[in-house]
Amino acid sequence: RRLEALVQAPIIEVLPLRRARVGIVTTGSEVYYGRIQDAFGPVLRKKFAALGSAVMGQTLTSDEVPMTAGAIADYLQQGADLIVVTGGMSVDPDDRTPSAIRAAGVEVASYGAPVYPGAMFLLGYFSNGTPIVGLPGHPVAAYFITKLFVQPLLGRLMDRDMTAYTVTARVTESISANHGRAQYHCCRLTGTGGELYAQPIRGKSGLITTLAGTDGYFCISRDCEGLPQGAEIQVTITSGV
């Protein structure tokens, strides 16, 4: 009878993949009133979709705290698993996103990270445990914060392994670094004589074109003042932006 029960019971149960529901709030009066175009929003939506999450929508708000706080609350009420707020994250008095996040009832767990680019990163939680992240408005900074912090968070929400693939390469030029902050660089990879070489892509954190043609990125640790030409590094491979 025990054997018969084993035969009749399912050997493997296949469960559907869970997709995290993500709500995006983009702040900034310039974008809200149409004075400048939101270039990073479509990139962010594409990235979250590629990670297997379902983007509920993207709401544009001005710099006014009540409007941003209301947009955040709307996504929470709609059942978002994660809320992402972009722009207005610096300590400048005109940047009010952290205040809006707190006004929405969020308990801020961390504001600021020892990384460059992307130092002004915020992580918080609502009373029901729903996480919210504040991303810097500069595209490259937001890109790295998404890779380093948001992607692993999504992996936990969806019970998926988000481990990135890395390769060993040698940097093609010397690079200085800011001591005390982990510094991340986009790069292109080339192969010669059976070895890989990483060519750093220079550009400011506000230029989305810096991400074009990127094969991966590497990190200079916070306790290092730079890398000499030919130094061996670990490059994290990216599957497009």
Side-chain angles (χ1 to χ4, degrees), residues 176-234:
S176 60
N178 294 319
H179 186 70
R181 291 193 293 179
Q183 185 167 306
Y184 289 84
H185 289 271
C186 295
C187 66
R188 296 187 180 93
L189 290 173
T190 58
T192 305
E195 240 184 332
L196 283 175
Y197 293 89
Q199 172 67 50
I201 300 176
R202 304 289 186 175
K204 296 181 179 180
S205 61
L207 297 176
I208 198 168
T209 52
T210 303
L211 302 175
T214 295
D215 295 316
Y217 63 88
F218 62 92
C219 174
I220 302 176
S221 65
R222 59 187 298 184
D223 59 352
C224 179
E225 295 184 353
L227 296 174
Q229 181 180 5
E232 190 173 88
I233 58 174
Q234 293 298 308

Side-chain angles (χ1 to χ4, degrees), residues 45-189:
R45 292 170 68 101
K46 180 181 177 181
K47 181 61 182 176
F48 283 129
L51 291 172
S53 60
V55 178
M56 302 169 65
Q58 180 187 7
T59 303
L60 304 182
T61 68
S62 70
D63 292 319
E64 297 301 318
V65 169
M67 180 182 290
T68 303
I72 293 170
D74 285 344
Y75 281 121
L76 181 67
Q77 292 172 2
Q78 293 172 39
D81 298 303
L82 171 66
I83 298 173
V84 178
V85 188
T86 67
M89 289 302 302
S90 78
V91 294
D92 189 292
D94 291 333
D95 286 343
R96 304 169 184 170
T97 300
S99 297
I101 291 174
R102 291 186 175 95
V106 173
E107 182 177 348
V108 175
S110 177
Y111 180 31
V115 299
Y116 178 83
M120 304 315 296
F121 163 68
L122 184 147
L123 172 65
Y125 294 90
F126 290 91
S127 58
N128 67 353
T130 300
I132 181 170
V133 296
L135 300 183
H138 291 156
V140 178
Y143 170 81
F144 280 117
I145 291 298
T146 300
K147 286 284 188 181
L148 299 173
F149 299 105
V150 182
Q151 187 167 318
L153 177 59
L154 274 176
R156 289 195 294 271
L157 290 173
M158 298 187 294
D159 194 24
R160 298 188 195 178
D161 183 6
M162 294 287 189
T163 304
Y165 175 66
T166 62
V167 297
T168 301
R170 293 190 180 278
V171 68
T172 59
E173 59 189 74
S174 60
I175 304 177
S176 60
N178 294 319
H179 186 70
R181 291 193 293 179
Q183 185 167 306
Y184 289 84
H185 289 271
C186 295
C187 66
R188 296 187 180 93
L189 290 173

